[in-house]
Amino acid sequence: MGEEEEDMQKLDEKLKQFEEDELTTYGSSENTPIDDDIPKATRKRNIVFDEERFEETFLKCMICREVYDEDEKAPKMLPCHHTFCLDCLNQMFRVEGEYRQSLTSAFRSMPMAVKICCPTCRDGLICSDQDIKRLPNDTTILELLNYIKLTGKSDVQYCSKHKMQPLNFFCEPCITPVCCDCTVLDHKEKNGHIVMNVEEALKKYTPVLDETITEMDKSIKTVEEKKQALEKAAENIEQIQKELAVQVRQTFDRIRDAIDERERELFNMSEHEIDKKRNEIGDQLAIVHDRESLLAKDRNNLKSAKDTKDISAMFTHHQSAREALGRKVEIPGPSRATKDFAVSFQFNSRAENNIRSTISVFGDVSFK
C-alpha cells in the first residue's frame, strides 16, 4: 500500500470517528423532532462545525493533551499508525532507558536503544532517540493545524446561550447577532423576526454606519479645533499673567517713586526751616550774651566804686551804667501763643485720608 493510500485511509478513519462522536454527543437526526413549519433553508443553519471538539479529538496529543505544533510538539506517527507528540515520545524513551539502566550495572550510561510501547495498542517499537526524531510526521494533522490557523478560530464570535455556535446571522428587529440555533428557537421568522446573514446585514447597514461615521468625523474635527483653541489660550494665559504683573508693578513703582520724591522734598524743607530758625536763635543768643556781659561789667564797676567809696569812680561808672541801660537792644520776644521762646513746627497731612481712599480704589483689572 502506497503512502498516499495510507494517508487517505487514515483520514477516512479519523472522519468516521468524528462522525460517531458527533452522533453520540448530539444524538441521531432521526430522533430529533423537526418543525414542519421551518423552511429547509432555515434547517440548514443548524449544521455547525464544533471546532473545540474537533481540536480535542484530532489536534491534541492523547498523552499530554496539548495541541500539536511543528516543533517540540510535532505529531510523530508510530508504525501502528497511532500519533503522539515528539516531546511525549522522547519522555517515554527517557523513562524506559532509566528503568533499564536501573536493572543492571552493565549500563553505565543510557542505552542506545530501548523498546517503547504504543499507549493505544501496546505495539512495541525498538528505537533510539534519533529514530524517534526520524519518525514520519502525521501530515494530515499538520494540514488540519494549518487549516485551523488560516480560518482563525479566535476570530469567530460564538453565541453565549448556545455554546460553540458561531454568530452567523443577524435579527433585524432585535438588532442583535444570533446563531443558527437562535433562528429556530428564539428568533423564529414566523414570530415576526427578520433574520438575515451577517454579510447581508453588513451590506445593508454599512452605508448607514458610514454616514454616522462621517458626521462623527465632522463633530470630532469641530471639537479638535475648539480643543486646539483652548490649548493655545492655556499657553497664552501664562504670558498674559506675566505681562499683567509687570504692568501693575510698574504702575505702583511710579507711585512709590512719586511718594518717595515728595517725602524727600518735605525732609529737605523741614531741615531748611529748622536750620533757619536755629540760626535766628543763635543770633539772638549772641545779642543776649553781649548785653549780659556789658551790664554785668558796668554793674561790677559801679558796685566796686560804691564799696570803695570812690566818689569820682562812682559818678563815672554810674553815668556809664545809665548809658548802658539807655541803649535798647531789640530781641524778639515770645509769640502770643507761647510764654517763652519755644519753637513749634507742625506737619500738615490734610490730604492723607483722601490719598488713602484714592489708593484703595486705584487701578482695575478687566478681562475681555
Side-chain angles (χ1 to χ4, degrees), residues 10-21 58:
K10 182 177 62 173
L11 180 59
D12 291 338
E13 292 176 356
K14 290 183 181 296
L15 291 176
K16 184 177 181 180
Q17 180 183 354
F18 178 69
E19 291 174 357
E20 291 175 355
D21 292 340
F58 300 108

Side-chain angles (χ1 to χ4, degrees), residues 262 266 346-357:
R262 181 57 180 168
L266 291 174
Q346 185 178 2
F347 173 67
N348 186 359
S349 59
R350 57 183 176 277
E352 179 181 358
N353 292 333
N354 294 335
I355 294 175
R356 284 175 173 270
S357 300

Side-chain angles (χ1 to χ4, degrees), residues 216-233:
M216 293 186 69
D217 288 340
K218 293 180 180 179
S219 180
I220 291 174
K221 183 178 180 181
T222 302
V223 173
E224 183 67 23
E225 292 175 353
K226 292 181 179 180
K227 184 185 75 172
Q228 292 178 358
L230 289 173
E231 290 176 349
K232 184 176 181 181

Side-chain angles (χ1 to χ4, degrees), residues 78-312:
L78 297 176
C80 60
H81 288 260
H82 290 119
T83 301
F84 304 95
C85 72
L86 175 62
D87 185 42
C88 288
L89 293 176
N90 285 330
Q91 292 186 32
M92 291 172 60
F93 174 84
R94 183 168 55 255
V95 170
E96 186 66 22
E98 292 175 353
Y99 173 72
R100 296 296 179 187
Q101 188 179 13
S102 65
L103 294 178
T104 176
S105 60
F107 297 107
R108 296 183 179 180
S109 60
M110 286 287 291
M112 297 296 296
V114 297
K115 179 181 179 180
I116 61 176
C117 296
C118 173
T120 302
C121 65
R122 309 308 298 174
D123 281 353
L125 172 65
I126 299 176
C127 61
S128 65
D129 57 346
Q130 295 299 321
D131 292 335
I132 294 177
K133 293 180 180 180
R134 285 193 291 266
L135 286 173
N137 291 331
D138 193 331
T139 57
T140 303
I141 293 179
L142 292 178
E143 290 177 0
L144 291 174
L145 285 172
N146 187 51
Y147 171 76
I148 294 297
K149 185 185 299 183
L150 293 176
T151 54
K153 175 186 174 183
S154 59
D155 298 336
V156 179
Q157 295 181 356
Y158 296 92
C159 181
S160 60
K161 186 175 182 180
H162 307 103
K163 294 183 178 180
M164 294 311 299
Q165 293 292 341
L167 299 174
N168 292 332
F169 304 96
F170 182 79
C171 182
E172 194 169 23
C174 300
I175 317 177
T176 182
V178 294
C179 69
C180 60
D181 286 357
C182 292
T183 62
V184 297
L185 297 176
D186 304 322
H187 297 265
K188 297 180 180 181
E189 293 181 351
K190 68 177 183 179
N191 294 336
H193 293 273
I194 302 175
V195 180
M196 61 182 70
N197 290 330
V198 172
E199 291 78 9
E200 296 177 2
L202 290 174
K203 184 177 180 181
K204 181 177 180 179
Y205 288 102
T206 296
V208 179
L209 298 179
D210 291 339
E211 182 179 356
T212 303
I213 292 174
T214 301
E215 293 178 1
M216 293 186 69
D217 288 340
K218 293 180 180 179
S219 180
I220 291 174
K221 183 178 180 181
T222 302
V223 173
E224 183 67 23
E225 292 175 353
K226 292 181 179 180
K227 184 185 75 172
Q228 292 178 358
L230 289 173
E231 290 176 349
K232 184 176 181 181
E235 293 176 357
N236 293 337
I237 198 70
E238 298 295 333
Q239 184 63 27
I240 292 174
Q241 182 181 9
K242 293 179 181 179
E243 294 177 356
L244 185 61
V246 170
Q247 294 176 5
V248 173
R249 188 178 298 108
Q250 289 177 349
T251 300
F252 279 88
D253 284 344
R254 290 193 295 269
I255 294 176
R256 278 189 287 269
D257 291 341
I259 294 175
D260 292 341
E261 181 63 25
R262 181 57 180 168
E263 182 182 12
R264 286 191 294 270
E265 291 178 356
L266 291 174
F267 273 125
N268 293 334
M269 185 184 301
S270 63
E271 290 179 358
H272 175 72
E273 292 298 327
I274 292 295
D275 289 341
K276 181 179 178 181
K277 197 63 179 178
R278 184 182 294 111
N279 293 332
E280 290 179 358
I281 293 175
D283 293 341
Q284 290 174 353
L285 283 174
I287 294 173
V288 170
H289 288 158
D290 292 343
R291 179 66 172 173
E292 181 185 17
S293 299
L294 179 60
L295 292 175
K297 179 181 178 181
D298 289 341
R299 176 187 176 282
N300 292 333
N301 290 335
L302 180 60
K303 187 175 185 304
S304 177
K306 176 185 174 183
D307 292 339
T308 59
K309 299 180 179 181
D310 187 351
I311 299 299
S312 175

